[in-house]
Amino acid sequence: MEKETLIDVALKAELCALYQAGDRHYHNLAHIEAMLALAEEYRDLLDDPGAIEAAIWFHDAIYDSRAKDNEAKSADLAEKKLAGRVDPHRLARIAAMINATATHQLPPLRDEGALNDAALLLDMDLAILGAGPAVFDAYEKAVRLEYGWVEEPMWHAGRSAVLKSFLARPHIFHTTEFRDRFEAQARENLSHSLQALQDQP
């Protein structure tokens, strides 16, 4: 049976073009492909794989490191592009998942299946935090390049605050599956990164 996809060839080409912009060093097509691979790996746990795929494709479609509303704009784009091909309830669910990637807190979804999907999407988005040290280091460098306009003292302060906020959470990952696989390594990576920032003059 062919898998349902809400992203047709024309829309995929349009989104690929956005993800291939020159100022994207981490939030690019490789990030989307890594998340799609995880979605495939954990497909049996997903309530609505088609909605998850759409949310993955759109969640960083709008990305400007100077802006604070990238996720909201990405959700708006999804609603605009998917209107008419997805029922409104499902589209609202996709938009809620995209918006949740702004804070990586679970969105206020009442439906248990939708909430589970949102938890898995957020965990897929953060899986890079639990990657091996070399891959995590490359991720850190790529994110720094995306914020190349930020001067070093401001970067230190801002990045340290982000790392501390993740480390302060009872769990970085929402689902048992991702906690078991990535939590310990993610905490090690984030602690190491924070220490490196604090050691720099």
Side-chain angles (χ1 to χ4, degrees):
M1 190 174 123
E2 195 174 329
K3 289 173 189 164
E4 179 212 30
T5 180
L6 306 177
I7 312 293
D8 63 24
V9 174
L11 184 52
K12 188 176 283 189
E14 202 176 320
L15 290 166
C16 282
L18 291 174
Y19 284 108
Q20 287 169 317
D23 59 346
R24 290 176 181 252
H25 303 279
Y26 172 70
H27 294 89
N28 54 23
L29 209 47
H31 172 51
I32 300 306
E33 286 165 350
M35 286 183 69
L36 290 170
L38 283 169
E40 187 57 38
E41 191 179 338
Y42 290 96
R43 190 177 179 82
D44 291 348
L45 300 180
L46 304 180
D47 181 64
D48 186 346
I52 284 275
E53 184 203 14
I56 289 171
W57 270 107
F58 276 101
H59 84 286
D60 284 329
I62 306 298
Y63 185 75
D64 173 0
S65 64
R66 294 171 189 262
K68 302 282 188 197
D69 59 352
N70 290 318
E71 293 83 6
K73 284 183 174 174
S74 295
D76 287 346
L77 183 67
E79 289 181 314
K80 182 179 159 195
K81 294 292 182 182
L82 296 174
R85 66 175 91 185
V86 182
D87 76 73
H89 176 75
R90 199 175 182 203
L91 191 47
R93 178 175 174 167
I94 292 166
M97 286 194 283
I98 295 166
N99 277 310
T101 63
T103 60
H104 287 95
Q105 303 286 359
L106 288 174
L109 294 165
R110 290 200 186 97
D111 178 88
E112 200 173 313
L115 202 56
N116 180 64
D117 279 2
L120 285 160
L121 177 87
L122 294 177
D123 285 357
M124 290 172 202
D125 195 25
L126 292 183
I128 187 69
L129 300 183
V135 175
F136 179 79
D137 190 46
Y139 151 76
E140 289 267 88
K141 287 185 170 74
V143 171
R144 181 67 183 106
L145 283 171
E146 290 182 342
Y147 285 85
W149 55 274
V150 179
E151 291 182 15
E152 210 58 32
M154 287 293 290
W155 171 256
H156 277 214
R159 189 65 181 167
S160 294
V162 169
L163 298 175
K164 283 176 184 172
S165 74
F166 277 119
L167 286 167
R169 295 184 179 196
H171 303 288
I172 294 168
F173 297 97
H174 295 284
T175 65
T176 306
E177 290 78 14
F178 277 73
R179 273 181 215 156
D180 290 349
R181 182 172 173 183
F182 294 114
E183 184 87 21
Q185 185 64 52
R187 289 193 174 274
E188 197 175 304
N189 287 339
L190 294 173
S191 299
H192 184 265
S193 184
L194 184 60
Q195 190 62 53
L197 282 169
Q198 290 169 347
D199 288 346
Q200 286 175 25

